[in-house]
Amino acid sequence: MKLQCDVEVVSRMLPTYGMKNRGKGSRAVLSIGRHTEKTTHCNTIYLMICTAKDRAGSKYKLKENIETFFTRFVEEGKATVRLKEPAVDISLSKADAISLKNFLSAARLAHRGNDTENFPLSTLTPVRARDVEKPKKKLTIVSKKDYPLTSNFPYSLEQLQVSYCKLSRVDMRMLSLKALRRLDLSNNHIKTLPSTIGDLGCLAELILHNNHLETFSDALCLSSLQRTLQHLDLSQNRLQALPPQFCQLRELINLKLDDNKLAWLPFHIGRLSKLRFLSAAHNQLAILPGDFRKLTLENLDLFGNPFAHPNPLDHTIQLTFPLTLQEMASRAVVNLRIPYGPHLIPAHLCHDLHASKTCDCGRTCVSFYIKTAVSMNLHLVSQTVVLVDDMGGTDAPVQCHFCSLSCYAEFLDQCLQRGLR
């Protein structure tokens, strides 16, 4: 039984001599194993701690020698073992939480002397220098032959790149790297993303360039990525649409969607208020959602999309008079910001509410509206704009929805006054 973590051994006698501990742990390998006493020839179970300065290790007897365990922060990879003799506290930190729990369970059994014959005990031998070196923060793998098949990824990784390894799925071992801030899986063959990526509570950058992705799941949009994800690269995949919940990723600053098959962007993309860099070149976008006008970008690239030439007089009317009770209720839920979810109303109604549109008057329409499009200069939403087409244009069509005939009539009056045809 072995455990890699930071260790600090603190003598409880220090205050007696007016001294303080230094308060800093060292990288160490802890082992629980048997050692034969030279004098008594008895096999005794010891805890051995090996560090870079003491690779031979210091041994501490475990049987009936543990005063108590402090495990309040074990889920964070922290714990303390208090020994009776010598009077020391062994403070453990920066450990994998699951490995730490297993190690502490083995230490408890060794202390009680229960069923020690069945222990997964280690050999108490000096460790290698690489086993006690500082935790690795960054790892780059760009060849399949370098990909670890039998060993785990270093638990302390903050940046991991695995490219050109022909991965068809995300390795579940990566999803236990709780300190991971940047995950680059570009240039592989990944088709789907597990929802457990959302459990990486520190992930700020997710790079999935040049894979085979066809969907981006609702679950990821509703995970902890809402609070952490700032950079997302989904370029050169096979995406045809993004879910309405995508706009819950409100910390996004940089979003790359180039070279997919996207026919439209999410209705509420304007909710990405922190978004500054957006590229969706070479997709199948014919029109932009009305919410696009709310964005405040620094750089925008929509080159190579088959944008239509809008005419505000061309419209689609999808209204009933009077409105259905369901439509009126749906509009009220959104306008009044009444909480809803699949635990309260049917899932298909939740989907309709997620995809609700905003009229020019500011009110909401859900399933009944009038729809048209107008041309917008993209410089209104971005400081720098990559030309939309080879003709040097920077205009693109934006969808408009109207909740009533009166709102649409008022819009047409404004268009006529501006000379739009």
Side-chain angles (χ1 to χ4, degrees), residues 8 15 32-33 59 75 84 100-101 146 162 171 173 202 250 292 302 335 344 397 421:
E8 183 184 9
I32 296 178
K59 299 184 185 71
E75 295 293 343
K84 298 176 183 177
L100 178 58
K101 290 177 185 178
D146 297 327
V162 180
D171 192 329
R173 291 177 296 171
C202 297
R250 299 192 183 187
F292 200 88
L302 296 175
N335 288 328
L344 296 173
R421 298 291 186 270

Side-chain angles (χ1 to χ4, degrees), residues 7-27:
V7 175
E8 183 184 9
V9 180
V10 181
S11 172
R12 298 198 298 277
M13 301 302 293
L14 287 180
T16 305
Y17 304 109
M19 301 172 64
K20 295 182 179 180
N21 64 298
R22 61 194 181 100
K24 186 177 180 181
S26 302
R27 196 64 187 165

Side-chain angles (χ1 to χ4, degrees), residues 267-300:
F267 287 116
H268 298 300
I269 193 169
R271 293 178 181 175
L272 301 179
S273 59
K274 296 185 179 181
L275 193 65
R276 294 295 177 266
F277 303 90
L278 172 61
S279 56
H282 301 290
N283 278 281
Q284 301 300 317
L285 300 175
I287 195 167
L288 299 175
D291 233 34
F292 200 88
R293 292 173 289 185
K294 298 179 182 179
L295 292 175
T296 308
L297 304 172
E298 293 181 20
N299 188 275
L300 173 63

Side-chain angles (χ1 to χ4, degrees), residues 16 84 90 113 119 126 134 153 190 206 220 242 295 303 315 325 338 355 361 372 417:
T16 305
K84 298 176 183 177
I90 302 174
F119 273 7
K134 288 186 177 181
F153 294 98
I190 298 170
L206 180 58
L220 285 175
L242 295 172
L295 292 175
F303 181 81
H315 58 264
L325 181 60
I338 298 172
C361 71
T372 188
Q417 291 172 11

Side-chain angles (χ1 to χ4, degrees), residues 65-181:
N65 193 38
I66 298 178
E67 186 173 314
T68 189
F69 291 91
F70 299 94
T71 58
R72 181 176 180 180
F73 300 104
V74 70
E75 295 293 343
E76 300 176 16
K78 301 175 184 178
T80 297
V81 180
R82 173 165 289 180
L83 299 182
K84 298 176 183 177
E85 183 62 37
V88 296
D89 290 348
I90 302 174
S91 298
L92 315 178
S93 61
K94 298 182 180 179
D96 176 75
I98 296 175
S99 300
L100 178 58
K101 290 177 185 178
N102 293 335
F103 192 85
L104 294 175
S105 296
R108 283 190 181 94
L109 292 175
H111 163 65
R112 296 168 186 163
N114 296 341
D115 198 20
T116 55
E117 295 300 324
N118 296 324
F119 273 7
L121 298 177
S122 304
T123 305
L124 300 182
T125 56
V127 297
R128 298 167 296 183
R130 67 182 184 184
D131 292 331
V132 288
E133 62 187 8
K134 288 186 177 181
K136 200 166 189 176
K137 302 290 186 183
K138 184 177 180 180
L139 177 63
T140 301
I141 301 171
V142 291
S143 173
K144 193 171 182 179
K145 64 181 178 62
D146 297 327
Y147 191 78
L149 297 176
T150 56
S151 60
N152 288 326
F153 294 98
Y155 83 98
S156 55
L157 285 179
E158 294 181 2
Q159 299 183 47
L160 173 62
Q161 179 182 356
V162 180
S163 301
Y164 304 101
C165 292
K166 298 182 179 180
L167 296 181
S168 59
R169 59 183 178 83
V170 178
D171 192 329
M172 299 306 287
R173 291 177 296 171
M174 300 175 186
L175 306 181
S176 64
L177 304 175
K178 300 304 182 183
L180 205 60
R181 295 183 53 81

